[in-house]
Amino acid sequence: MRTLRRPTVSLPTLRDAAGKGYRAAERHRNAWEESGTTPSSFGSHWNEPDVRGALYAMHGRSCAYCQCALPRNDRGDVEHFRPKAHYWWLAYRFENYFLSCSLCNRILKREIFPLVAGTQPLTYAQASQLATEQRLLLDPVDDLIAGGCLRTLWDHDVCKVVVDTEDAVLSARATETIRFFKLNTDPALVKERIGVVTGALDLLERIDNGDDQAREEVRRRASRFAPHGDALRQMLADLAPHLLPDEEQELRWWVDELVADLALLDQLETNGLLVGEDVERQRSELCWALHVVWLDPPVTSRATIESWIGAALTNTIRALDS
């Protein structure tokens, strides 16, 4: 798990009277206010391109919880941090979404939201008290993860994730998060994390032998947008702090990757290899990811983001919110 920054954006699906998510949320609220009825089913409007694009802008392509790389056959689930089955009024709220791998979402988390023993989930009438709810899972946005709650021991035999705080509340959350998402007990996840660290150590050795390409590669892998990037950032902080990328460089790499993905989609479509609604959905998600980065850049300015995106795409990105 790593610290995430949620962009401050207003997405058409969730904000506009014509937005599917907005309308569904309004129906649910009206039903509760009129008769106390809570919804039993939900339309998956959180999978609309603007919502998914905003999450890609925030996450890169790695799981919010285990930080694994999302493979080509797993684009990531839009995961409700507080499960919609109970916290139904948050079903269409962007601040309740993370991008998760299917294992963390569908197998481990499902509709579970651990709380301190003896406490009950808050109700809609108590919605204003969410910030004080005694949850036992770390929130990657609201809780400081790297350097505040968790640490990956990159030089440990199994690259163990450990609690890294003396704060009692955060320590309890960190302990439960490690257990709940099997950060140290899922063999496939541990193997992936070890592989990432081992690969980075090999790159450092190549750098010592004068390989400039390896220097660029290890810095990219330590990006906050990259899978297991925090483990590599800790490794570089210990072994080669001068190689740590800054936030602007990390964002530049991510923007470049999104633009390259758009160019590849265009190439596949031009060659008749990708047609229909799927290509439009993928293109729209990528454009929305770039739009959100441009709209609320975590670092630098909109003008700089525009220069990275390029003139051909800038007008499209600007127009999405109009």
Side-chain angles (χ1 to χ4, degrees), residues 71-127:
R72 64 175 181 80
N73 61 345
D74 181 356
R75 297 169 57 246
D77 289 348
V78 178
E79 201 280 319
H80 292 70
F81 183 61
R82 285 181 168 85
K84 57 188 178 293
H86 180 85
Y87 303 86
W88 55 267
W89 68 95
L90 299 177
Y92 301 107
R93 298 286 292 273
F94 180 63
E95 59 266 32
N96 193 41
Y97 297 158
F98 290 111
L99 190 67
S100 166
C101 69
S102 58
L103 175 62
C104 282
N105 181 36
R106 303 180 202 180
I107 305 300
L108 300 179
K109 193 159 182 291
R110 296 168 287 159
E111 297 292 338
I112 303 170
F113 193 64
L115 299 173
V116 169
T119 62
Q120 296 296 318
L122 296 179
T123 64
Y124 177 54
Q126 301 168 308

